[in-house]
Amino acid sequence: MKESVVIQQKKRPNLNFSLLKKDLVFTISFILAAISCFIHIPKIEYINFHVLISLFNLMLAIKALEELKVLDKFAISILNKSKNSKSVSAILILFCFFSSMLVTNDVALLTFVPLTLLISKKTKINMIDTIILQTIAANIGSSLTPMGNPQNLFIYSFYGLKPLQFFMSVSFMAVLGIGTLYFFFQRLEPKEIEVDLYPVTVGDRKKGIVWGIVLVIIIASIFGVISYPIALFITLGTAFIVNSTLLIKIDYLLLITFVCFFIFIGNISSTTAVQTFASVSMKDPSSVYFSSIGLSQLISNVPASILLAQFSTDWKPLLLGVNVGGLGTIIASLASVISYKLFIQANPNESKNYLIKFSIYNFAFLTFLAITQYLIFIILDIL
């Protein structure tokens, strides 16, 4: 009897805390959300259902295309055109950089990170650095267009900007960003690809076409062309008719992580301390720029832009600050959480390693871009 009790006691912590130990970002988001609820009562308005439903729709469509071997076919076509792992990485990073300008950084990462993981599995090459650089590429590339990310869209509409105003303000940062990406990319070690490539046949072409159409509808809903509840209805309906097992295969923990961050961000943004910080830190363009970078590290760049816009008419340093501020911590841009979750889902034992490398890369980019952009301001006497 005693031995049995001892065994139960040893097993209990694993049963209770294994999930929390395995997924550090979920654990952090859950703890932050729980603590913030003692500071401020959460509101349903904090949760961005458009983002959550769009994420759910995208995960379902990408999972369907993955199971139909569409991603495999795409992966092999990339491998056939590449001489080594470095050239593969270049293609995947550039895909994220340029596609994020049109389909947002979230969609770019949800589309191409699974492809990278698939190539990594086929070639037996660890592509953790590539995925981190893809994440940075998506966050930088998305800064070049108003629809590339939510904070750009908000600032563009809130201040009533003209297209030329917007592009002239962010173009240098985007060029500087891709130049920095090239520098880091050159440091990747080229490894010879040794993999037996075989022709891949899409599981069911008709189903592949159907899910391709659904994916277009989902992207259209992200752009606001159609209502996102309608996109959800079409996506769920397609899943139930074509393959209902997809509904149990997607990562619901990612959605819960986002809910936790929304609650934390909403609660913290509503506190007197943050409101006071925003009001006293917005005295001139320089303070707007650095305040937006700093606040983005704590509550992510989308709520930082919404909060700080209420206290300043200096849209240019705010626009650049929240875009540069999307680098740094993993919550600075919630798109970064998507890459992390996808990576640890495929590599559950690499969580700590990913977060350490992610932080090193991101803070290097953040420091360089923040200082260089500010020096350009001074030289051109913009600030």
Side-chain angles (χ1 to χ4, degrees):
M1 286 294 290
K2 287 183 179 179
E3 187 177 348
S4 143
V5 171
V6 171
I7 291 172
Q8 287 179 352
Q9 287 176 342
K10 285 183 178 179
K11 286 185 177 179
R12 191 173 300 163
N14 291 331
L15 291 172
N16 289 337
F17 303 113
S18 59
L19 179 63
L20 297 178
K21 290 178 180 177
K22 185 171 125 179
D23 192 336
L24 291 176
V25 170
F26 166 72
T27 304
I28 292 168
S29 69
F30 180 79
I31 292 171
L32 290 174
I35 293 173
S36 69
C37 288
F38 290 100
I39 301 171
H40 196 275
I41 299 174
K43 298 177 182 178
I44 192 69
E45 292 83 8
Y46 295 160
I47 300 174
N48 190 327
F49 288 100
H50 189 180
V51 170
L52 285 178
I53 289 173
S54 298
L55 275 175
F56 173 80
N57 289 342
L58 283 166
M59 287 192 293
L60 205 55
I62 296 298
K63 176 59 72 174
L65 293 172
E66 183 183 328
E67 295 214 337
L68 289 169
K69 303 294 184 182
V70 174
L71 291 186
D72 290 68
K73 196 172 183 67
F74 197 10
I76 286 178
S77 69
I78 291 175
L79 289 172
N80 280 330
K81 295 173 184 176
S82 305
K83 297 178 180 179
N84 53 51
S85 62
K86 194 171 181 178
S87 57
V88 172
S89 295
I91 294 170
L92 293 167
I93 292 166
L94 288 174
F95 273 156
C96 283
F97 183 85
F98 289 106
S99 66
S100 65
M101 299 178 191
L102 301 175
V103 298
T104 77
N105 49 359
D106 296 354
V107 178
L109 294 172
L110 271 169
T111 304
F112 294 111
V113 170
L115 185 62
T116 306
L117 291 167
L118 186 63
I119 291 173
S120 177
K121 183 179 178 182
K122 286 182 178 296
T123 59
K124 295 181 172 58
I125 295 174
N126 189 332
M127 302 187 78
I128 183 172
D129 296 85
T130 300
I131 291 172
I132 292 170
L133 288 175
Q134 279 181 291
T135 306
I136 293 171
N139 283 327
I140 294 174
S142 65
S143 68
L144 194 56
T145 61
M147 63 282 207
N149 52 53
Q151 71 269 16
N152 279 5
L153 196 56
F154 168 76
I155 292 173
Y156 186 82
S157 57
F158 184 84
Y159 289 99
L161 303 182
K162 304 295 183 193
L164 186 61
Q165 279 181 304
F166 182 91
F167 290 119
M168 289 295 289
S169 299
V170 296
S171 57
F172 177 78
M173 181 192 137
V175 171
L176 190 64
I178 198 168
T180 313
L181 276 168
Y182 179 79
F183 170 78
F184 276 85
F185 159 73
Q186 288 298 323
R187 297 174 64 85
L188 294 180
E189 181 185 351
K191 296 179 181 177
E192 187 178 346
I193 296 174
E194 296 180 2
V195 58
D196 294 326
L197 300 177
Y198 53 90
V200 172
T201 304
V202 175
D204 188 319
R205 288 186 177 274
K206 289 182 180 178
K207 288 182 180 179
I209 292 171
V210 168
W211 279 109
I213 294 170
V214 170
L215 185 60
V216 171
I217 291 171
I218 294 168
I219 293 173
S221 73
I222 292 170
F223 280 107
V225 177
I226 65 172
S227 170
Y228 69 87
I230 292 175
L232 174 63
F233 177 78
I234 293 171
T235 306
L236 280 175
T238 305
F240 278 117
I241 294 169
V242 177
N243 184 2
S244 59
T245 61
L246 291 170
L247 293 166
I248 62 173
K249 294 180 179 179
I250 62 174
D251 185 9
Y252 288 100
L253 206 59
L254 173 60
L255 299 176
I256 298 172
T257 301
F258 266 73
V259 170
C260 289
F261 276 128
F262 285 141
I263 292 171
F264 165 70
I265 289 164
N267 286 337
I268 293 299
S269 298
S270 302
T271 60
T272 306
V274 173
Q275 297 281 348
T276 303
F277 167 81
S279 61
V280 301
S281 301
M282 310 290 280
K283 297 176 181 177
D284 54 58
S286 293
S287 61
V288 172
Y289 177 69
F290 286 110
S291 294
S292 57
I293 292 174
L295 197 58
S296 294
Q297 304 307 302
L298 302 175
I299 66 172
S300 87
N301 52 6
V302 177
S305 61
I306 295 171
L307 177 63
L308 296 179
Q310 315 304 319
F311 301 95
S312 176
T313 56
D314 289 315
W315 60 267
K316 191 178 293 185
L318 177 62
L319 174 65
L320 291 167
V322 292
N323 277 294
V324 172
L327 304 166
T329 65
I330 200 164
I331 67 166
S333 168
L334 291 183
S336 300
V337 178
I338 293 173
S339 296
Y340 166 79
K341 291 285 294 175
L342 291 171
F343 178 81
I344 65 161
Q345 195 175 16
N347 306 275
N349 298 321
E350 290 281 325
S351 175
K352 185 177 180 181
N353 186 32
Y354 183 94
L355 289 174
I356 291 171
K357 281 197 169 188
F358 176 91
S359 299
I360 293 170
Y361 273 105
N362 269 265
F363 278 104
F365 269 85
L366 175 64
T367 303
F368 176 71
L369 291 183
I371 294 174
T372 306
Q373 183 70 74
Y374 184 68
L375 291 175
I376 294 298
F377 282 153
I378 295 173
I379 293 170
L380 298 179
D381 199 26
I382 292 176
L383 288 182

